Amino acid sequence: MSAPDAVSSAAPAGTLGAASTAGAAGARRLTLTGSILGAAIVALDGTVLTVAQPNLGRDLHASLPAVQWTSTAYLVTVAALLVLAGRLGDRYGHRRVFAVGVLGFGAASAGIGLAPGIGWVIGLRILQGAAGALLQPATLGLLRAAYPAELLGRAIALRTSAIGLAAAAGPLVGGALTTQWGWRSVFFLTVAPAAVAGVSALLVRLPGPAATDRTAAPDLPGAALLGGALACLVLALVGLPERGPTPGTGVGLTASAALGAVFVRHERRTRSPLLPPAVLRAPAVAPALGVLLAASAALFGTLFLATYFLQDVLALDPLASALRALPLAVAMVAAAPASAALTRRHGPRRTVVAGMSSISLGALAVATFRPDTPALAIGAAFLVLGAGFGAVLATATAALVRAVSVRDAGVAGGLQQTAMNIGPALGVAVATTLTTGRPLADALTPALAVLAATAAGGALLATRLPAARTA
């Protein structure tokens, strides 16, 4: 008998059981830490950059279109690679893929902070987008592998709260850093948290993927088709707010639809599809994705219009506008963990229907904004929006991830992140299209009515989610 075996046989069973339980709890804590940090880094980066971009353009003598490409290049890259990245996590292990992604994200951030010109910034943002695509689905895949079903919703709720907190802090932190130390400091901000998240992922030990998952050939043609379809869609949508509908928009949407059709045909014929049939057949997957797409489109379209109202009609500066909208972030941070308790008591269906209804009511409340609307009423509208979105994001994500097996959690995470990247672009595009060429005061109400209807449609989709939590 080897020495470890002798020690194991001599140790009391209760001691071994306690050690095993403590080890599992420690692994879950490390996993949750890494997942939260990874998700928060991406959320912080997205909002902090918007504040730094004008300073970046002036310092690097870059044109406005070039500065805009620092965001567009990242968004297109992420959208194109998310599902493939999730599949890689299922195949080779979410711990490894997450570590590569988050450490690559931090390294790219440091490189951008040292970049000598706008071309370097755009190139490094593409690399950062690829790293972000690797880490985002893995944050959910790690939680699915580490947590039992009864604890998964709470872990995802904490991750959702961290996303809301980071997104809210971004403009404030970015403004302070840019004012004090310049735009480069904004990118150095995420380097240390990325290193901590990467080390946390490398320290944790989780069950690896099955050998059969590793030997199957990756569906690279399917990944190329889906990535091309999503990239064309995002390019078409992000151009609408600045340029409005153009022939290029139609070409982008047509190309996206054509590539999507070829992708569907390819998936039906290939022996190792990018999207496993088991994922697509899971009853909760399609409604959860539809809900997330509708919720993010309605929320971000509403925020886009509300921001213009606050700054153009009420003549508030960006900081004052951000403070008026702060109740949204506060409510989102609080609603996510509260939704986990509501789901345990009432089930995902009722919780998400209530959340989508709240988003719809919040959009209708914003539609009533007038120059004499009290600040308290404006804050209340944002509060309702944030409470609804926090509950929907946490609950629908948990329902989606729980609906698939551990071996397919990465693909589910990639689909979730894809919906959360396309939804905001879609919502802003809809808001822009409905208000272009008209005074905002006249176009605000009908545009927000459409966005409220979008959220109401999401509430109908939510009726197809499980009525009660399933183990």
Side-chain angles (χ1 to χ4, degrees):
M1 182 183 293
S2 66
D5 290 340
V7 172
S8 297
S9 62
T15 302
L16 290 176
S20 176
T21 301
R28 286 198 294 266
R29 284 194 294 270
L30 277 175
T31 301
L32 183 60
T33 298
S35 177
I36 285 177
L37 279 175
I41 286 168
V42 174
L44 181 66
D45 177 84
T47 56
V48 81
L49 177 61
T50 58
V51 179
Q53 279 180 324
N55 191 287
L56 180 153
R58 288 191 296 269
D59 187 47
L60 298 181
H61 307 289
S63 65
L64 181 59
V67 173
Q68 290 171 339
W69 265 100
T70 62
S71 294
T72 302
Y74 176 88
L75 289 173
V76 171
T77 305
V78 168
L81 296 178
L82 277 168
V83 177
L84 173 62
R87 196 69 180 128
L88 292 176
D90 292 332
R91 192 176 303 276
Y92 301 112
H94 298 296
R95 184 175 65 89
R96 294 176 182 176
V97 171
F98 175 82
V100 171
V102 75
L103 293 175
F105 195 95
S109 295
I112 295 169
L114 300 171
I118 191 65
W120 281 94
V121 173
I122 294 172
L124 287 167
R125 284 288 283 173
I126 292 174
L127 293 178
Q128 193 176 43
L134 289 174
L135 78 89
Q136 289 184 70
T139 62
L140 293 171
L142 284 170
L143 296 179
R144 181 68 175 89
Y147 281 83
E150 64 271 14
L151 298 178
L152 181 61
R154 189 179 307 166
I156 290 178
L158 291 174
R159 173 185 174 276
T160 302
S161 291
I163 291 172
L165 185 61
L172 301 177
V173 174
L177 289 175
T178 303
T179 301
Q180 190 69 28
W181 291 293
W183 66 270
R184 297 179 187 274
S185 62
V186 166
F187 290 97
F188 290 126
L189 177 65
T190 59
V191 174
V196 173
V199 171
S200 297
L202 293 174
L203 289 176
V204 74
R205 290 292 180 265
L206 295 173
T212 54
D213 295 336
R214 296 194 298 269
T215 56
D219 182 18
L220 295 182
L225 288 169
L226 180 60
L230 293 173
C232 289
L233 177 60
V234 171
L235 274 173
L237 292 177
V238 298
L240 279 172
E242 285 100 24
R243 299 185 296 271
T246 65
T249 303
V251 171
L253 294 176
T254 301
S256 178
L259 288 170
V262 176
F263 169 73
V264 171
R265 183 181 181 187
H266 167 80
E267 289 293 284
R268 289 174 176 173
R269 296 184 175 190
T270 188
R271 298 178 63 181
S272 180
L274 179 68
L275 297 178
V279 173
L280 300 179
R281 286 196 300 262
V285 168
L289 290 173
V291 162
L292 291 169
L293 187 69
S296 56
L299 177 76
F300 282 89
T302 299
L303 284 179
F304 178 81
L305 295 175
T307 300
Y308 269 91
F309 176 85
L310 294 175
Q311 295 187 13
D312 290 357
V313 178
L314 298 188
L316 300 177
D317 59 42
L319 178 58
S321 298
L323 291 175
R324 290 286 180 93
L326 190 59
L328 185 148
V330 173
M332 180 178 169
V333 171
S339 69
L342 289 173
T343 301
R344 287 194 298 272
R345 182 170 183 177
H346 301 291
R349 180 185 300 171
R350 292 182 180 178
T351 303
V352 175
V353 167
M356 293 302 297
S357 300
S358 182
I359 295 174
S360 185
L361 289 173
L364 293 175
V366 174
T368 67
F369 285 1
R370 298 292 182 269
D372 58 350
T373 300
L376 186 62
I378 293 174
F382 284 120
L383 190 74
V384 172
L385 282 168
F389 189 70
V392 168
L393 180 55
T395 309
T397 299
L400 171 63
V401 176
R402 190 184 287 120
V404 303
S405 65
V406 174
R407 65 184 294 173
D408 293 325
V411 169
L415 291 171
Q416 189 266 359
Q417 290 294 321
T418 299
M420 295 305 298
N421 275 269
I422 292 176
L426 179 61
V428 172
V430 169
T432 303
T433 302
L434 293 174
T435 55
T436 298
R438 301 173 61 188
L440 183 61
D442 297 334
L444 188 67
T445 297
L448 284 165
V450 171
L451 293 168
T454 301
L460 290 177
L461 282 174
T463 60
R464 295 177 55 195
L465 290 173
R469 183 183 62 80
T470 55

PDB file of all heavy atoms in Angstrom, residues 228-259:
ATOM      1  N   GLY A 228     -19.443  34.702 -39.734  1.00  0.00           N
ATOM      2  CA  GLY A 228     -19.655  35.677 -40.795  1.00  0.00           C
ATOM      3  C   GLY A 228     -21.049  36.273 -40.754  1.00  0.00           C
ATOM      4  O   GLY A 228     -21.226  37.487 -40.960  1.00  0.00           O
ATOM      5  N   ALA A 229     -22.056  35.429 -40.486  1.00  0.00           N
ATOM      6  CA  ALA A 229     -23.437  35.936 -40.411  1.00  0.00           C
ATOM      7  C   ALA A 229     -23.592  36.934 -39.273  1.00  0.00           C
ATOM      8  O   ALA A 229     -24.198  38.012 -39.446  1.00  0.00           O
ATOM      9  CB  ALA A 229     -24.405  34.765 -40.224  1.00  0.00           C
ATOM     10  N   LEU A 230     -23.038  36.620 -38.116  1.00  0.00           N
ATOM     11  CA  LEU A 230     -23.154  37.517 -36.965  1.00  0.00           C
ATOM     12  C   LEU A 230     -22.345  38.789 -37.167  1.00  0.00           C
ATOM     13  O   LEU A 230     -22.772  39.889 -36.783  1.00  0.00           O
ATOM     14  CB  LEU A 230     -22.709  36.794 -35.702  1.00  0.00           C
ATOM     15  CG  LEU A 230     -23.605  35.632 -35.257  1.00  0.00           C
ATOM     16  CD1 LEU A 230     -22.975  34.875 -34.103  1.00  0.00           C
ATOM     17  CD2 LEU A 230     -24.986  36.138 -34.863  1.00  0.00           C
ATOM     18  N   ALA A 231     -21.156  38.678 -37.775  1.00  0.00           N
ATOM     19  CA  ALA A 231     -20.336  39.862 -38.030  1.00  0.00           C
ATOM     20  C   ALA A 231     -21.043  40.815 -38.982  1.00  0.00           C
ATOM     21  O   ALA A 231     -21.070  42.039 -38.763  1.00  0.00           O
ATOM     22  CB  ALA A 231     -18.981  39.438 -38.597  1.00  0.00           C
ATOM     23  N   CYS A 232     -21.649  40.284 -40.042  1.00  0.00           N
ATOM     24  CA  CYS A 232     -22.392  41.136 -40.981  1.00  0.00           C
ATOM     25  C   CYS A 232     -23.578  41.805 -40.297  1.00  0.00           C
ATOM     26  O   CYS A 232     -23.872  42.988 -40.532  1.00  0.00           O
ATOM     27  CB  CYS A 232     -22.872  40.305 -42.166  1.00  0.00           C
ATOM     28  SG  CYS A 232     -21.556  39.774 -43.290  1.00  0.00           S
ATOM     29  N   LEU A 233     -24.259  41.062 -39.430  1.00  0.00           N
ATOM     30  CA  LEU A 233     -25.406  41.620 -38.724  1.00  0.00           C
ATOM     31  C   LEU A 233     -24.990  42.755 -37.800  1.00  0.00           C
ATOM     32  O   LEU A 233     -25.610  43.834 -37.797  1.00  0.00           O
ATOM     33  CB  LEU A 233     -26.103  40.515 -37.923  1.00  0.00           C
ATOM     34  CG  LEU A 233     -27.288  40.938 -37.056  1.00  0.00           C
ATOM     35  CD1 LEU A 233     -28.390  41.547 -37.910  1.00  0.00           C
ATOM     36  CD2 LEU A 233     -27.814  39.753 -36.252  1.00  0.00           C
ATOM     37  N   VAL A 234     -23.932  42.542 -37.026  1.00  0.00           N
ATOM     38  CA  VAL A 234     -23.479  43.579 -36.089  1.00  0.00           C
ATOM     39  C   VAL A 234     -22.981  44.803 -36.847  1.00  0.00           C
ATOM     40  O   VAL A 234     -23.266  45.949 -36.469  1.00  0.00           O
ATOM     41  CB  VAL A 234     -22.383  43.009 -35.161  1.00  0.00           C
ATOM     42  CG1 VAL A 234     -21.753  44.119 -34.332  1.00  0.00           C
ATOM     43  CG2 VAL A 234     -22.974  41.959 -34.240  1.00  0.00           C
ATOM     44  N   LEU A 235     -22.233  44.607 -37.929  1.00  0.00           N
ATOM     45  CA  LEU A 235     -21.753  45.743 -38.716  1.00  0.00           C
ATOM     46  C   LEU A 235     -22.919  46.576 -39.247  1.00  0.00           C
ATOM     47  O   LEU A 235     -22.869  47.809 -39.249  1.00  0.00           O
ATOM     48  CB  LEU A 235     -20.898  45.243 -39.880  1.00  0.00           C
ATOM     49  CG  LEU A 235     -19.415  45.000 -39.578  1.00  0.00           C
ATOM     50  CD1 LEU A 235     -18.736  44.337 -40.764  1.00  0.00           C
ATOM     51  CD2 LEU A 235     -18.716  46.313 -39.240  1.00  0.00           C
ATOM     52  N   ALA A 236     -23.965  45.889 -39.720  1.00  0.00           N
ATOM     53  CA  ALA A 236     -25.129  46.612 -40.232  1.00  0.00           C
ATOM     54  C   ALA A 236     -25.839  47.386 -39.127  1.00  0.00           C
ATOM     55  O   ALA A 236     -26.264  48.530 -39.329  1.00  0.00           O
ATOM     56  CB  ALA A 236     -26.092  45.638 -40.898  1.00  0.00           C
ATOM     57  N   LEU A 237     -25.956  46.779 -37.954  1.00  0.00           N
ATOM     58  CA  LEU A 237     -26.701  47.414 -36.872  1.00  0.00           C
ATOM     59  C   LEU A 237     -25.945  48.588 -36.252  1.00  0.00           C
ATOM     60  O   LEU A 237     -26.541  49.628 -35.949  1.00  0.00           O
ATOM     61  CB  LEU A 237     -27.021  46.383 -35.784  1.00  0.00           C
ATOM     62  CG  LEU A 237     -28.016  45.282 -36.170  1.00  0.00           C
ATOM     63  CD1 LEU A 237     -28.177  44.289 -35.024  1.00  0.00           C
ATOM     64  CD2 LEU A 237     -29.372  45.877 -36.550  1.00  0.00           C
ATOM     65  N   VAL A 238     -24.622  48.430 -36.034  1.00  0.00           N
ATOM     66  CA  VAL A 238     -23.882  49.496 -35.345  1.00  0.00           C
ATOM     67  C   VAL A 238     -23.729  50.732 -36.229  1.00  0.00           C
ATOM     68  O   VAL A 238     -23.459  51.831 -35.725  1.00  0.00           O
ATOM     69  CB  VAL A 238     -22.496  49.003 -34.882  1.00  0.00           C
ATOM     70  CG1 VAL A 238     -22.626  47.878 -33.886  1.00  0.00           C
ATOM     71  CG2 VAL A 238     -21.619  48.598 -36.062  1.00  0.00           C
ATOM     72  N   GLY A 239     -23.894  50.588 -37.555  1.00  0.00           N
ATOM     73  CA  GLY A 239     -23.792  51.750 -38.417  1.00  0.00           C
ATOM     74  C   GLY A 239     -25.042  52.587 -38.478  1.00  0.00           C
ATOM     75  O   GLY A 239     -24.992  53.756 -38.881  1.00  0.00           O
ATOM     76  N   LEU A 240     -26.173  52.035 -38.063  1.00  0.00           N
ATOM     77  CA  LEU A 240     -27.436  52.763 -38.160  1.00  0.00           C
ATOM     78  C   LEU A 240     -27.486  54.033 -37.303  1.00  0.00           C
ATOM     79  O   LEU A 240     -27.986  55.065 -37.771  1.00  0.00           O
ATOM     80  CB  LEU A 240     -28.602  51.841 -37.804  1.00  0.00           C
ATOM     81  CG  LEU A 240     -29.080  50.914 -38.924  1.00  0.00           C
ATOM     82  CD1 LEU A 240     -30.101  49.917 -38.399  1.00  0.00           C
ATOM     83  CD2 LEU A 240     -29.682  51.727 -40.072  1.00  0.00           C
ATOM     84  N   PRO A 241     -27.014  54.024 -36.044  1.00  0.00           N
ATOM     85  CA  PRO A 241     -27.131  55.252 -35.238  1.00  0.00           C
ATOM     86  C   PRO A 241     -26.397  56.440 -35.842  1.00  0.00           C
ATOM     87  O   PRO A 241     -26.849  57.581 -35.696  1.00  0.00           O
ATOM     88  CB  PRO A 241     -26.503  54.839 -33.897  1.00  0.00           C
ATOM     89  CG  PRO A 241     -26.705  53.368 -33.833  1.00  0.00           C
ATOM     90  CD  PRO A 241     -26.556  52.890 -35.236  1.00  0.00           C
ATOM     91  N   GLU A 242     -25.259  56.225 -36.519  1.00  0.00           N
ATOM     92  CA  GLU A 242     -24.510  57.351 -37.083  1.00  0.00           C
ATOM     93  C   GLU A 242     -24.950  57.720 -38.491  1.00  0.00           C
ATOM     94  O   GLU A 242     -25.058  58.887 -38.840  1.00  0.00           O
ATOM     95  CB  GLU A 242     -23.008  57.027 -37.106  1.00  0.00           C
ATOM     96  CG  GLU A 242     -22.355  57.112 -35.745  1.00  0.00           C
ATOM     97  CD  GLU A 242     -22.180  55.744 -35.127  1.00  0.00           C
ATOM     98  OE1 GLU A 242     -22.136  54.760 -35.880  1.00  0.00           O
ATOM     99  OE2 GLU A 242     -22.086  55.664 -33.892  1.00  0.00           O
ATOM    100  N   ARG A 243     -25.188  56.684 -39.325  1.00  0.00           N
ATOM    101  CA  ARG A 243     -25.427  56.952 -40.750  1.00  0.00           C
ATOM    102  C   ARG A 243     -26.879  56.776 -41.165  1.00  0.00           C
ATOM    103  O   ARG A 243     -27.273  57.210 -42.242  1.00  0.00           O
ATOM    104  CB  ARG A 243     -24.552  56.033 -41.599  1.00  0.00           C
ATOM    105  CG  ARG A 243     -23.062  56.237 -41.376  1.00  0.00           C
ATOM    106  CD  ARG A 243     -22.236  55.386 -42.322  1.00  0.00           C
ATOM    107  NE  ARG A 243     -22.440  53.965 -42.087  1.00  0.00           N
ATOM    108  CZ  ARG A 243     -21.725  53.248 -41.233  1.00  0.00           C
ATOM    109  NH1 ARG A 243     -20.772  53.836 -40.506  1.00  0.00           N
ATOM    110  NH2 ARG A 243     -21.947  51.959 -41.069  1.00  0.00           N
ATOM    111  N   GLY A 244     -27.686  56.112 -40.336  1.00  0.00           N
ATOM    112  CA  GLY A 244     -29.047  55.808 -40.730  1.00  0.00           C
ATOM    113  C   GLY A 244     -29.072  54.695 -41.760  1.00  0.00           C
ATOM    114  O   GLY A 244     -28.035  54.152 -42.143  1.00  0.00           O
ATOM    115  N   PRO A 245     -30.258  54.333 -42.259  1.00  0.00           N
ATOM    116  CA  PRO A 245     -30.337  53.279 -43.274  1.00  0.00           C
ATOM    117  C   PRO A 245     -29.608  53.686 -44.554  1.00  0.00           C
ATOM    118  O   PRO A 245     -29.819  54.775 -45.084  1.00  0.00           O
ATOM    119  CB  PRO A 245     -31.845  53.137 -43.512  1.00  0.00           C
ATOM    120  CG  PRO A 245     -32.489  53.737 -42.302  1.00  0.00           C
ATOM    121  CD  PRO A 245     -31.577  54.835 -41.855  1.00  0.00           C
ATOM    122  N   THR A 246     -28.723  52.829 -45.041  1.00  0.00           N
ATOM    123  CA  THR A 246     -27.966  53.059 -46.272  1.00  0.00           C
ATOM    124  C   THR A 246     -27.991  51.786 -47.108  1.00  0.00           C
ATOM    125  O   THR A 246     -28.368  50.721 -46.612  1.00  0.00           O
ATOM    126  CB  THR A 246     -26.507  53.434 -45.949  1.00  0.00           C
ATOM    127  OG1 THR A 246     -25.869  52.309 -45.325  1.00  0.00           O
ATOM    128  CG2 THR A 246     -26.428  54.643 -45.028  1.00  0.00           C
ATOM    129  N   PRO A 247     -27.566  51.871 -48.382  1.00  0.00           N
ATOM    130  CA  PRO A 247     -27.445  50.633 -49.168  1.00  0.00           C
ATOM    131  C   PRO A 247     -26.539  49.615 -48.502  1.00  0.00           C
ATOM    132  O   PRO A 247     -26.780  48.408 -48.590  1.00  0.00           O
ATOM    133  CB  PRO A 247     -26.870  51.131 -50.497  1.00  0.00           C
ATOM    134  CG  PRO A 247     -27.333  52.543 -50.605  1.00  0.00           C
ATOM    135  CD  PRO A 247     -27.325  53.071 -49.202  1.00  0.00           C
ATOM    136  N   GLY A 248     -25.490  50.104 -47.808  1.00  0.00           N
ATOM    137  CA  GLY A 248     -24.590  49.188 -47.106  1.00  0.00           C
ATOM    138  C   GLY A 248     -25.303  48.420 -46.006  1.00  0.00           C
ATOM    139  O   GLY A 248     -24.988  47.249 -45.752  1.00  0.00           O
ATOM    140  N   THR A 249     -26.263  49.056 -45.358  1.00  0.00           N
ATOM    141  CA  THR A 249     -27.038  48.371 -44.320  1.00  0.00           C
ATOM    142  C   THR A 249     -27.807  47.204 -44.919  1.00  0.00           C
ATOM    143  O   THR A 249     -27.828  46.099 -44.368  1.00  0.00           O
ATOM    144  CB  THR A 249     -28.016  49.354 -43.647  1.00  0.00           C
ATOM    145  OG1 THR A 249     -27.294  50.458 -43.119  1.00  0.00           O
ATOM    146  CG2 THR A 249     -28.767  48.654 -42.526  1.00  0.00           C
ATOM    147  N   GLY A 250     -28.447  47.464 -46.068  1.00  0.00           N
ATOM    148  CA  GLY A 250     -29.194  46.397 -46.730  1.00  0.00           C
ATOM    149  C   GLY A 250     -28.296  45.256 -47.166  1.00  0.00           C
ATOM    150  O   GLY A 250     -28.657  44.078 -47.033  1.00  0.00           O
ATOM    151  N   VAL A 251     -27.108  45.599 -47.666  1.00  0.00           N
ATOM    152  CA  VAL A 251     -26.166  44.559 -48.083  1.00  0.00           C
ATOM    153  C   VAL A 251     -25.735  43.720 -46.887  1.00  0.00           C
ATOM    154  O   VAL A 251     -25.671  42.486 -46.954  1.00  0.00           O
ATOM    155  CB  VAL A 251     -24.934  45.190 -48.775  1.00  0.00           C
ATOM    156  CG1 VAL A 251     -23.843  44.143 -49.003  1.00  0.00           C
ATOM    157  CG2 VAL A 251     -25.338  45.822 -50.095  1.00  0.00           C
ATOM    158  N   GLY A 252     -25.458  44.394 -45.768  1.00  0.00           N
ATOM    159  CA  GLY A 252     -25.038  43.670 -44.567  1.00  0.00           C
ATOM    160  C   GLY A 252     -26.114  42.726 -44.056  1.00  0.00           C
ATOM    161  O   GLY A 252     -25.829  41.577 -43.709  1.00  0.00           O
ATOM    162  N   LEU A 253     -27.354  43.216 -44.005  1.00  0.00           N
ATOM    163  CA  LEU A 253     -28.443  42.369 -43.523  1.00  0.00           C
ATOM    164  C   LEU A 253     -28.716  41.207 -44.474  1.00  0.00           C
ATOM    165  O   LEU A 253     -28.986  40.082 -44.040  1.00  0.00           O
ATOM    166  CB  LEU A 253     -29.706  43.214 -43.343  1.00  0.00           C
ATOM    167  CG  LEU A 253     -29.649  44.291 -42.249  1.00  0.00           C
ATOM    168  CD1 LEU A 253     -30.926  45.114 -42.246  1.00  0.00           C
ATOM    169  CD2 LEU A 253     -29.422  43.659 -40.880  1.00  0.00           C
ATOM    170  N   THR A 254     -28.625  41.475 -45.776  1.00  0.00           N
ATOM    171  CA  THR A 254     -28.830  40.402 -46.750  1.00  0.00           C
ATOM    172  C   THR A 254     -27.734  39.344 -46.645  1.00  0.00           C
ATOM    173  O   THR A 254     -28.011  38.135 -46.685  1.00  0.00           O
ATOM    174  CB  THR A 254     -28.860  40.984 -48.176  1.00  0.00           C
ATOM    175  OG1 THR A 254     -29.908  41.949 -48.272  1.00  0.00           O
ATOM    176  CG2 THR A 254     -29.088  39.884 -49.204  1.00  0.00           C
ATOM    177  N   ALA A 255     -26.497  39.797 -46.520  1.00  0.00           N
ATOM    178  CA  ALA A 255     -25.387  38.854 -46.381  1.00  0.00           C
ATOM    179  C   ALA A 255     -25.521  38.036 -45.109  1.00  0.00           C
ATOM    180  O   ALA A 255     -25.246  36.822 -45.100  1.00  0.00           O
ATOM    181  CB  ALA A 255     -24.061  39.618 -46.384  1.00  0.00           C
ATOM    182  N   SER A 256     -25.962  38.670 -44.035  1.00  0.00           N
ATOM    183  CA  SER A 256     -26.157  37.952 -42.776  1.00  0.00           C
ATOM    184  C   SER A 256     -27.213  36.870 -42.924  1.00  0.00           C
ATOM    185  O   SER A 256     -27.026  35.729 -42.472  1.00  0.00           O
ATOM    186  CB  SER A 256     -26.562  38.935 -41.671  1.00  0.00           C
ATOM    187  OG  SER A 256     -26.809  38.258 -40.460  1.00  0.00           O
ATOM    188  N   ALA A 257     -28.330  37.214 -43.570  1.00  0.00           N
ATOM    189  CA  ALA A 257     -29.397  36.235 -43.764  1.00  0.00           C
ATOM    190  C   ALA A 257     -28.942  35.080 -44.651  1.00  0.00           C
ATOM    191  O   ALA A 257     -29.249  33.908 -44.389  1.00  0.00           O
ATOM    192  CB  ALA A 257     -30.623  36.919 -44.366  1.00  0.00           C
ATOM    193  N   ALA A 258     -28.192  35.395 -45.719  1.00  0.00           N
ATOM    194  CA  ALA A 258     -27.731  34.352 -46.628  1.00  0.00           C
ATOM    195  C   ALA A 258     -26.749  33.407 -45.934  1.00  0.00           C
ATOM    196  O   ALA A 258     -26.860  32.175 -46.045  1.00  0.00           O
ATOM    197  CB  ALA A 258     -27.070  34.987 -47.854  1.00  0.00           C
ATOM    198  N   LEU A 259     -25.787  33.960 -45.228  1.00  0.00           N
ATOM    199  CA  LEU A 259     -24.832  33.117 -44.504  1.00  0.00           C
ATOM    200  C   LEU A 259     -25.533  32.308 -43.423  1.00  0.00           C
ATOM    201  O   LEU A 259     -25.178  31.147 -43.178  1.00  0.00           O
ATOM    202  CB  LEU A 259     -23.739  33.994 -43.889  1.00  0.00           C
ATOM    203  CG  LEU A 259     -22.727  34.601 -44.872  1.00  0.00           C
ATOM    204  CD1 LEU A 259     -21.854  35.630 -44.169  1.00  0.00           C
ATOM    205  CD2 LEU A 259     -21.866  33.509 -45.495  1.00  0.00           C
TER     206      LEU A 259
END
